[in-house]
């Protein structure tokens, strides 16, 4: 707190934190009308009202505070997932990617659709059957002894604290840039305004408050994003969609696939994400096998069907439709702000350390008219609050259920645990706010998180279907990924092997192309955990039998365990004649990918005016959707 106060003093900012809109008036760079203020105030009042209304029920116990009693319908959870990933940093990240690498550069995150749909059709049912409170609790269901307890405690802090603070910092960084560009607010003022409101709402409302408000936040955010894209593309300076698409700064950025004649771009942008990245990397919201806040929502679902339906709805919206408003604004920004220098010239008060292509999104929003400006600011506030509140509640659930309750006070009452959850929410927000003040751009954090998770994904996919994986497999893969990533990414060894960018912005080539770095991390990490797995003892038969009986994963990877159980007279299979669900799940996953990618490409080609291709892709959407529905109905009958 002293640090925050000193920052305020250094910036000579005197204000009343309760008079938020007076702050806007003093520092704004965009004239806000009475209508804008009314929209913003109404939005925040609704959100806080929902948080207060549900606070009494959310505070009853940890199951209510973190999972809303495990009785949530699929549609509410689906909207919540979409709203959560509708973050303030995502439009900035997409803008950075489009301006730097074109529309095709988005394959670096579009590839995670494969991860998402594997979760939908293969893992969602298993997570819901596990009936754990958090995905960290899974470790003591699947593994045993001190290694399992260590893994649960360490990862709860590693992910709930370390990774979570980085993720929240990225969102705060985006808020800082939006506040600086659109309202002329200093970083510290932006963090205080957004942080105080969000923490207050998150701490009192718990998971139920997060999910209920996410439903409102989604519609505010999507209307704001679409409205902004439509208006900005039709600015006189841009000239509408047809003129924008042929503009010299834009025409070379439109392709949804990388240039096949550029081997390095093809490999790094498309081949590696689709062939390796999606299954090998752990990334928040794109965890192989499910995890994090996605798992939290699946665990809160009424049953397996609701868990599957919610995650499928999320993936359709997240990849198929939602990116295009952001992409259009990013393309339009290339007309008005062709480079970083032009952004700096238009907004000279922005610190040089915060300059980057990601600022172009906020720069474009300053062109919005009264009314739409208020709606978009409210939508950005919605995106910010939805993501931050989810991350805070999810991270707090790890700290409470998997660290405090297991390592500090095993006899803690439900009231004490809820209070620890509320306190940890505040601590997480303060730590991430301090970190955000020293960051530069969202793409840096995306790359760091991707590297630190490289090589870990295969363990998370196989641990459900291969009995031989043990706690040491996960411990070794976690540490190997972190150490190898540090050595190959942030050391002179990595610079020499794969090249780097010097202080003058010049690219210095290494022995190997830069894209080999990711493959090297995955390969080394995979070798480490496989060796450790076979050098250490497997889990106890009783633990493996208990896990199998509860989740029923099936398949040849459990054949040895099932055979031993039968020999011991233990029944661990619900139905010996039931078909293994994995093959049907993989078929559904492939059809789902065709369905969503076709929808994404069809939308893009309708926008581009490529009507024959758009029609063909739309037909493919319909056909793949019908086939998927048939497979889904067959799968669903097995869940009932």
């Amino acid at each position: 707190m002293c640090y925050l106060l000193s920052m305020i003093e250094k910036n000579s900012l005197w204000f009343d934190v309760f008079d938020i809109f007076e702050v806007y008036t003093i520092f704004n760079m965009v004239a806000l009308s009475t209508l804008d203020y009314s929209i913003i105030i109404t939005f925040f009042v609704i959100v806080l009202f929902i948080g207060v209304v549900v606070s009494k029920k959310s505070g009853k116990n940890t199951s209510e505070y973190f999972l809303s009693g495990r009785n949530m319908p699929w549609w509410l959870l689906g909207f919540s997932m979409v709203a959560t990933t509708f973050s303030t940093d995502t439009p900035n990240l997409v803008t950075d990617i489009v301006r730097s690498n074109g529309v095709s550069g988005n394959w670096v995150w579009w590839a995670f659709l494969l991860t998402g749909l594997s979760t939908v059709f293969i893992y969602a049912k298993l997570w819901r059957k596990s009936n754990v409170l958090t995905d960290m609790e899974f470790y003591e269901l699947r593994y045993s002894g001190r290694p399992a307890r260590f893994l649960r405690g360490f990862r709860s802090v590693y992910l709930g604290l370390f990774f979570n603070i980085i993720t929240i910092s990225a969102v705060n960084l985006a808020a800082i840039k939006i506040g600086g560009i659109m309202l002329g607010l200093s970083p510290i003022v932006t963090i205080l305004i957004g942080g105080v409101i969000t923490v207050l709402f998150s701490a009192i409302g718990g998971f139920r408050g997060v999910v209920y408000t996410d439903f409102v936040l989604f519609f505010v955010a999507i209307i704001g994003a679409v409205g902004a894209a439509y208006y900005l593309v039709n600015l006189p300076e841009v000239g509408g969609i047809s003129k924008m698409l042929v503009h010299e700064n834009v025409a070379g950025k439109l392709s949804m696939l990388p240039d096949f004649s550029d081997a390095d771009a093809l490999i790094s942008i498309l081949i590696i994400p689709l062939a390796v990245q999606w299954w090998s990397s752990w990334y928040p919201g794109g965890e192989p096998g499910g995890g994090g806040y996605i798992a939290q929502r699946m665990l809160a679902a009424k049953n397996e069907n609701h868990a599957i339906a919610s995650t499928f709805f999320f993936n359709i919206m997240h990849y198929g439709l939602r990116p295009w408003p952001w992409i259009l604004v990013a393309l339009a920004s290339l007309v008005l702000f062709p480079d970083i220098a032009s952004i700096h010239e238009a907004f000279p008060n922005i610190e040089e350390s915060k300059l980057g292509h990601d600022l172009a999104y906020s720069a474009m929003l300053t062109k919005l008219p009264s009314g739409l400006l208020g709606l978009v600011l409210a939508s950005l506030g919605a995106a910010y609050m939805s993501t931050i509140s989810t991350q805070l509640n999810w991270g707090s659930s790890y700290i409470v259920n998997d660290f405090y309750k297991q390592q500090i006070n095993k006899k803690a009452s439900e009231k004490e645990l809820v209070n620890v959850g509320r306190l940890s929410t505040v601590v997480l927000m303060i730590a991430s706010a301090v970190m955000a003040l020293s960051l530069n751009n969202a793409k840096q954090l995306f790359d760091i998180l991707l590297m630190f998770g490289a090589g870990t994904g295969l363990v998370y996919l196989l641990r459900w279907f291969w009995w031989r994986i043990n706690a040491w497999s996960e411990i070794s893969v976690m540490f190997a990924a972190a150490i190898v990533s540090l050595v190959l990414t942030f050391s002179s060894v990595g610079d020499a092997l794969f090249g780097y960018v010097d202080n003058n912005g010049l690219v210095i080539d290494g022995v190997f192309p830069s894209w080999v770095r990711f493959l090297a991390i995955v390969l080394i990490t995979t070798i480490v955990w496989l060796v450790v797995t076979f050098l250490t003892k497997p889990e106890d038969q009783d633990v493996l039998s208990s896990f199998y009986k509860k989740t029923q994963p099936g398949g040849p990877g459990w054949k040895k365990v099932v055979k031993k159980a039968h020999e011991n007279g233990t029944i661990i299979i619900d139905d010996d004649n039931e078909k293994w669900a994995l093959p049907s799940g993989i078929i559904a996953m492939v059809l789902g990918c065709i369905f969503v990618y076709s929808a994404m490409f069809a939308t893009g080609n309708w926008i581009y005016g490529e009507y024959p291709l758009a029609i063909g892709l739309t037909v493919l959407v319909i056909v793949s959707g019908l086939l998927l529905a048939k497979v889904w109905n067959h799968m669903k009958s097995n869940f009932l």
Side-chain angles (χ1 to χ4, degrees), residues 402-424:
D402 303 297
F403 183 73
Y404 185 84
K405 187 177 179 180
Q406 303 302 318
Q407 309 290 334
I408 306 299
N409 186 5
K410 292 185 178 181
K411 297 181 180 180
S413 66
E414 287 295 320
K415 183 177 180 180
E416 180 182 346
L417 293 175
V418 170
N419 287 334
V420 171
R422 287 171 170 160
L423 177 61
S424 61

PDB file of all heavy atoms in Angstrom, residues 402-424:
ATOM      1  N   ASP A 402      -6.442 -26.170  -1.684  1.00  0.00           N
ATOM      2  CA  ASP A 402      -5.310 -27.049  -1.971  1.00  0.00           C
ATOM      3  C   ASP A 402      -4.025 -26.659  -1.263  1.00  0.00           C
ATOM      4  O   ASP A 402      -3.068 -27.436  -1.258  1.00  0.00           O
ATOM      5  CB  ASP A 402      -5.058 -27.077  -3.486  1.00  0.00           C
ATOM      6  CG  ASP A 402      -6.289 -27.526  -4.242  1.00  0.00           C
ATOM      7  OD1 ASP A 402      -6.713 -28.672  -4.033  1.00  0.00           O
ATOM      8  OD2 ASP A 402      -6.851 -26.727  -5.013  1.00  0.00           O
ATOM      9  N   PHE A 403      -3.977 -25.475  -0.669  1.00  0.00           N
ATOM     10  CA  PHE A 403      -2.795 -25.091   0.096  1.00  0.00           C
ATOM     11  C   PHE A 403      -3.142 -24.854   1.564  1.00  0.00           C
ATOM     12  O   PHE A 403      -2.672 -25.577   2.447  1.00  0.00           O
ATOM     13  CB  PHE A 403      -2.140 -23.844  -0.509  1.00  0.00           C
ATOM     14  CG  PHE A 403      -0.878 -23.444   0.201  1.00  0.00           C
ATOM     15  CD1 PHE A 403       0.282 -24.198   0.047  1.00  0.00           C
ATOM     16  CD2 PHE A 403      -0.847 -22.347   1.047  1.00  0.00           C
ATOM     17  CE1 PHE A 403       1.445 -23.850   0.725  1.00  0.00           C
ATOM     18  CE2 PHE A 403       0.305 -21.996   1.723  1.00  0.00           C
ATOM     19  CZ  PHE A 403       1.464 -22.753   1.558  1.00  0.00           C
ATOM     20  N   TYR A 404      -3.993 -23.873   1.833  1.00  0.00           N
ATOM     21  CA  TYR A 404      -4.292 -23.530   3.233  1.00  0.00           C
ATOM     22  C   TYR A 404      -4.924 -24.709   3.975  1.00  0.00           C
ATOM     23  O   TYR A 404      -4.490 -25.086   5.061  1.00  0.00           O
ATOM     24  CB  TYR A 404      -5.223 -22.317   3.273  1.00  0.00           C
ATOM     25  CG  TYR A 404      -5.498 -21.815   4.683  1.00  0.00           C
ATOM     26  CD1 TYR A 404      -4.608 -20.943   5.307  1.00  0.00           C
ATOM     27  CD2 TYR A 404      -6.635 -22.224   5.384  1.00  0.00           C
ATOM     28  CE1 TYR A 404      -4.844 -20.492   6.599  1.00  0.00           C
ATOM     29  CE2 TYR A 404      -6.882 -21.775   6.667  1.00  0.00           C
ATOM     30  CZ  TYR A 404      -5.979 -20.913   7.274  1.00  0.00           C
ATOM     31  OH  TYR A 404      -6.207 -20.474   8.555  1.00  0.00           O
ATOM     32  N   LYS A 405      -5.952 -25.296   3.382  1.00  0.00           N
ATOM     33  CA  LYS A 405      -6.667 -26.385   4.045  1.00  0.00           C
ATOM     34  C   LYS A 405      -5.819 -27.645   4.178  1.00  0.00           C
ATOM     35  O   LYS A 405      -5.969 -28.410   5.132  1.00  0.00           O
ATOM     36  CB  LYS A 405      -7.951 -26.711   3.271  1.00  0.00           C
ATOM     37  CG  LYS A 405      -8.855 -27.708   3.965  1.00  0.00           C
ATOM     38  CD  LYS A 405     -10.130 -27.926   3.163  1.00  0.00           C
ATOM     39  CE  LYS A 405     -11.032 -28.956   3.836  1.00  0.00           C
ATOM     40  NZ  LYS A 405     -12.277 -29.176   3.053  1.00  0.00           N
ATOM     41  N   GLN A 406      -4.912 -27.873   3.228  1.00  0.00           N
ATOM     42  CA  GLN A 406      -4.099 -29.090   3.250  1.00  0.00           C
ATOM     43  C   GLN A 406      -2.785 -28.916   3.999  1.00  0.00           C
ATOM     44  O   GLN A 406      -2.305 -29.854   4.646  1.00  0.00           O
ATOM     45  CB  GLN A 406      -3.793 -29.533   1.805  1.00  0.00           C
ATOM     46  CG  GLN A 406      -5.021 -29.764   0.949  1.00  0.00           C
ATOM     47  CD  GLN A 406      -5.955 -30.809   1.523  1.00  0.00           C
ATOM     48  OE1 GLN A 406      -5.503 -31.846   2.016  1.00  0.00           O
ATOM     49  NE2 GLN A 406      -7.252 -30.550   1.476  1.00  0.00           N
ATOM     50  N   GLN A 407      -2.200 -27.729   3.929  1.00  0.00           N
ATOM     51  CA  GLN A 407      -0.859 -27.527   4.480  1.00  0.00           C
ATOM     52  C   GLN A 407      -0.839 -26.686   5.759  1.00  0.00           C
ATOM     53  O   GLN A 407       0.065 -26.820   6.571  1.00  0.00           O
ATOM     54  CB  GLN A 407       0.040 -26.831   3.435  1.00  0.00           C
ATOM     55  CG  GLN A 407       0.042 -27.483   2.066  1.00  0.00           C
ATOM     56  CD  GLN A 407       0.750 -28.829   2.047  1.00  0.00           C
ATOM     57  OE1 GLN A 407       1.621 -29.095   2.863  1.00  0.00           O
ATOM     58  NE2 GLN A 407       0.371 -29.684   1.100  1.00  0.00           N
ATOM     59  N   ILE A 408      -1.815 -25.812   5.948  1.00  0.00           N
ATOM     60  CA  ILE A 408      -1.784 -24.864   7.070  1.00  0.00           C
ATOM     61  C   ILE A 408      -2.733 -25.271   8.196  1.00  0.00           C
ATOM     62  O   ILE A 408      -2.321 -25.404   9.350  1.00  0.00           O
ATOM     63  CB  ILE A 408      -2.139 -23.436   6.593  1.00  0.00           C
ATOM     64  CG1 ILE A 408      -1.227 -23.014   5.424  1.00  0.00           C
ATOM     65  CG2 ILE A 408      -2.019 -22.445   7.753  1.00  0.00           C
ATOM     66  CD1 ILE A 408       0.249 -22.969   5.762  1.00  0.00           C
ATOM     67  N   ASN A 409      -4.009 -25.445   7.879  1.00  0.00           N
ATOM     68  CA  ASN A 409      -4.998 -25.741   8.922  1.00  0.00           C
ATOM     69  C   ASN A 409      -6.043 -26.719   8.389  1.00  0.00           C
ATOM     70  O   ASN A 409      -7.047 -26.319   7.794  1.00  0.00           O
ATOM     71  CB  ASN A 409      -5.676 -24.446   9.396  1.00  0.00           C
ATOM     72  CG  ASN A 409      -6.605 -24.685  10.573  1.00  0.00           C
ATOM     73  OD1 ASN A 409      -6.690 -25.790  11.105  1.00  0.00           O
ATOM     74  ND2 ASN A 409      -7.309 -23.632  10.983  1.00  0.00           N
ATOM     75  N   LYS A 410      -5.797 -27.997   8.614  1.00  0.00           N
ATOM     76  CA  LYS A 410      -6.695 -29.033   8.102  1.00  0.00           C
ATOM     77  C   LYS A 410      -8.054 -29.017   8.802  1.00  0.00           C
ATOM     78  O   LYS A 410      -9.023 -29.574   8.286  1.00  0.00           O
ATOM     79  CB  LYS A 410      -6.055 -30.404   8.257  1.00  0.00           C
ATOM     80  CG  LYS A 410      -4.843 -30.617   7.362  1.00  0.00           C
ATOM     81  CD  LYS A 410      -4.307 -32.028   7.462  1.00  0.00           C
ATOM     82  CE  LYS A 410      -3.126 -32.224   6.515  1.00  0.00           C
ATOM     83  NZ  LYS A 410      -2.597 -33.602   6.565  1.00  0.00           N
ATOM     84  N   LYS A 411      -8.123 -28.396   9.984  1.00  0.00           N
ATOM     85  CA  LYS A 411      -9.375 -28.362  10.745  1.00  0.00           C
ATOM     86  C   LYS A 411     -10.114 -27.033  10.587  1.00  0.00           C
ATOM     87  O   LYS A 411     -11.041 -26.741  11.358  1.00  0.00           O
ATOM     88  CB  LYS A 411      -9.089 -28.621  12.221  1.00  0.00           C
ATOM     89  CG  LYS A 411      -8.497 -30.005  12.497  1.00  0.00           C
ATOM     90  CD  LYS A 411      -8.264 -30.217  13.988  1.00  0.00           C
ATOM     91  CE  LYS A 411      -7.674 -31.603  14.258  1.00  0.00           C
ATOM     92  NZ  LYS A 411      -7.441 -31.828  15.709  1.00  0.00           N
ATOM     93  N   ALA A 412      -9.718 -26.253   9.615  1.00  0.00           N
ATOM     94  CA  ALA A 412     -10.348 -24.939   9.424  1.00  0.00           C
ATOM     95  C   ALA A 412     -11.836 -25.081   9.146  1.00  0.00           C
ATOM     96  O   ALA A 412     -12.268 -25.978   8.405  1.00  0.00           O
ATOM     97  CB  ALA A 412      -9.676 -24.198   8.280  1.00  0.00           C
ATOM     98  N   SER A 413     -12.635 -24.202   9.749  1.00  0.00           N
ATOM     99  CA  SER A 413     -14.080 -24.212   9.524  1.00  0.00           C
ATOM    100  C   SER A 413     -14.396 -23.648   8.138  1.00  0.00           C
ATOM    101  O   SER A 413     -13.556 -22.986   7.511  1.00  0.00           O
ATOM    102  CB  SER A 413     -14.781 -23.373  10.591  1.00  0.00           C
ATOM    103  OG  SER A 413     -14.423 -21.997  10.447  1.00  0.00           O
ATOM    104  N   GLU A 414     -15.617 -23.904   7.666  1.00  0.00           N
ATOM    105  CA  GLU A 414     -16.025 -23.394   6.364  1.00  0.00           C
ATOM    106  C   GLU A 414     -16.002 -21.862   6.344  1.00  0.00           C
ATOM    107  O   GLU A 414     -15.611 -21.245   5.360  1.00  0.00           O
ATOM    108  CB  GLU A 414     -17.432 -23.907   6.030  1.00  0.00           C
ATOM    109  CG  GLU A 414     -17.492 -25.377   5.675  1.00  0.00           C
ATOM    110  CD  GLU A 414     -16.750 -25.690   4.393  1.00  0.00           C
ATOM    111  OE1 GLU A 414     -16.827 -24.899   3.439  1.00  0.00           O
ATOM    112  OE2 GLU A 414     -16.070 -26.735   4.337  1.00  0.00           O
ATOM    113  N   LYS A 415     -16.400 -21.239   7.458  1.00  0.00           N
ATOM    114  CA  LYS A 415     -16.387 -19.786   7.540  1.00  0.00           C
ATOM    115  C   LYS A 415     -14.970 -19.242   7.425  1.00  0.00           C
ATOM    116  O   LYS A 415     -14.723 -18.246   6.725  1.00  0.00           O
ATOM    117  CB  LYS A 415     -17.020 -19.332   8.857  1.00  0.00           C
ATOM    118  CG  LYS A 415     -17.124 -17.819   9.000  1.00  0.00           C
ATOM    119  CD  LYS A 415     -17.821 -17.422  10.290  1.00  0.00           C
ATOM    120  CE  LYS A 415     -17.930 -15.904  10.419  1.00  0.00           C
ATOM    121  NZ  LYS A 415     -18.600 -15.503  11.680  1.00  0.00           N
ATOM    122  N   GLU A 416     -14.022 -19.914   8.107  1.00  0.00           N
ATOM    123  CA  GLU A 416     -12.622 -19.488   8.038  1.00  0.00           C
ATOM    124  C   GLU A 416     -12.082 -19.628   6.625  1.00  0.00           C
ATOM    125  O   GLU A 416     -11.367 -18.744   6.123  1.00  0.00           O
ATOM    126  CB  GLU A 416     -11.776 -20.322   9.001  1.00  0.00           C
ATOM    127  CG  GLU A 416     -10.294 -19.949   8.991  1.00  0.00           C
ATOM    128  CD  GLU A 416      -9.469 -20.826   9.918  1.00  0.00           C
ATOM    129  OE1 GLU A 416     -10.065 -21.536  10.763  1.00  0.00           O
ATOM    130  OE2 GLU A 416      -8.220 -20.808   9.788  1.00  0.00           O
ATOM    131  N   LEU A 417     -12.422 -20.719   5.952  1.00  0.00           N
ATOM    132  CA  LEU A 417     -11.933 -20.946   4.593  1.00  0.00           C
ATOM    133  C   LEU A 417     -12.479 -19.897   3.620  1.00  0.00           C
ATOM    134  O   LEU A 417     -11.749 -19.419   2.746  1.00  0.00           O
ATOM    135  CB  LEU A 417     -12.328 -22.353   4.128  1.00  0.00           C
ATOM    136  CG  LEU A 417     -11.651 -23.518   4.862  1.00  0.00           C
ATOM    137  CD1 LEU A 417     -12.217 -24.851   4.390  1.00  0.00           C
ATOM    138  CD2 LEU A 417     -10.133 -23.492   4.654  1.00  0.00           C
ATOM    139  N   VAL A 418     -13.738 -19.546   3.774  1.00  0.00           N
ATOM    140  CA  VAL A 418     -14.319 -18.504   2.919  1.00  0.00           C
ATOM    141  C   VAL A 418     -13.624 -17.166   3.162  1.00  0.00           C
ATOM    142  O   VAL A 418     -13.315 -16.425   2.222  1.00  0.00           O
ATOM    143  CB  VAL A 418     -15.838 -18.379   3.164  1.00  0.00           C
ATOM    144  CG1 VAL A 418     -16.398 -17.141   2.455  1.00  0.00           C
ATOM    145  CG2 VAL A 418     -16.559 -19.626   2.668  1.00  0.00           C
ATOM    146  N   ASN A 419     -13.322 -16.865   4.433  1.00  0.00           N
ATOM    147  CA  ASN A 419     -12.620 -15.611   4.753  1.00  0.00           C
ATOM    148  C   ASN A 419     -11.208 -15.607   4.182  1.00  0.00           C
ATOM    149  O   ASN A 419     -10.731 -14.565   3.697  1.00  0.00           O
ATOM    150  CB  ASN A 419     -12.572 -15.405   6.274  1.00  0.00           C
ATOM    151  CG  ASN A 419     -13.926 -15.018   6.845  1.00  0.00           C
ATOM    152  OD1 ASN A 419     -14.757 -14.445   6.135  1.00  0.00           O
ATOM    153  ND2 ASN A 419     -14.167 -15.334   8.109  1.00  0.00           N
ATOM    154  N   VAL A 420     -10.518 -16.761   4.235  1.00  0.00           N
ATOM    155  CA  VAL A 420      -9.183 -16.866   3.621  1.00  0.00           C
ATOM    156  C   VAL A 420      -9.301 -16.662   2.114  1.00  0.00           C
ATOM    157  O   VAL A 420      -8.455 -16.016   1.493  1.00  0.00           O
ATOM    158  CB  VAL A 420      -8.543 -18.233   3.935  1.00  0.00           C
ATOM    159  CG1 VAL A 420      -7.257 -18.419   3.126  1.00  0.00           C
ATOM    160  CG2 VAL A 420      -8.245 -18.350   5.423  1.00  0.00           C
ATOM    161  N   GLY A 421     -10.373 -17.195   1.531  1.00  0.00           N
ATOM    162  CA  GLY A 421     -10.600 -16.998   0.096  1.00  0.00           C
ATOM    163  C   GLY A 421     -10.761 -15.538  -0.250  1.00  0.00           C
ATOM    164  O   GLY A 421     -10.205 -15.052  -1.248  1.00  0.00           O
ATOM    165  N   ARG A 422     -11.490 -14.809   0.568  1.00  0.00           N
ATOM    166  CA  ARG A 422     -11.691 -13.383   0.310  1.00  0.00           C
ATOM    167  C   ARG A 422     -10.403 -12.595   0.495  1.00  0.00           C
ATOM    168  O   ARG A 422     -10.098 -11.688  -0.282  1.00  0.00           O
ATOM    169  CB  ARG A 422     -12.799 -12.861   1.231  1.00  0.00           C
ATOM    170  CG  ARG A 422     -14.176 -13.336   0.795  1.00  0.00           C
ATOM    171  CD  ARG A 422     -15.284 -13.030   1.772  1.00  0.00           C
ATOM    172  NE  ARG A 422     -16.589 -13.318   1.166  1.00  0.00           N
ATOM    173  CZ  ARG A 422     -17.709 -13.515   1.845  1.00  0.00           C
ATOM    174  NH1 ARG A 422     -17.692 -13.443   3.170  1.00  0.00           N
ATOM    175  NH2 ARG A 422     -18.836 -13.767   1.204  1.00  0.00           N
ATOM    176  N   LEU A 423      -9.633 -12.950   1.521  1.00  0.00           N
ATOM    177  CA  LEU A 423      -8.358 -12.277   1.754  1.00  0.00           C
ATOM    178  C   LEU A 423      -7.373 -12.550   0.617  1.00  0.00           C
ATOM    179  O   LEU A 423      -6.696 -11.636   0.131  1.00  0.00           O
ATOM    180  CB  LEU A 423      -7.754 -12.743   3.084  1.00  0.00           C
ATOM    181  CG  LEU A 423      -6.373 -12.172   3.442  1.00  0.00           C
ATOM    182  CD1 LEU A 423      -6.439 -10.654   3.568  1.00  0.00           C
ATOM    183  CD2 LEU A 423      -5.851 -12.794   4.735  1.00  0.00           C
ATOM    184  N   SER A 424      -7.291 -13.807   0.166  1.00  0.00           N
ATOM    185  CA  SER A 424      -6.359 -14.155  -0.917  1.00  0.00           C
ATOM    186  C   SER A 424      -6.751 -13.467  -2.218  1.00  0.00           C
ATOM    187  O   SER A 424      -5.894 -13.146  -3.050  1.00  0.00           O
ATOM    188  CB  SER A 424      -6.305 -15.671  -1.115  1.00  0.00           C
ATOM    189  OG  SER A 424      -7.570 -16.195  -1.465  1.00  0.00           O
TER     190      SER A 424
END
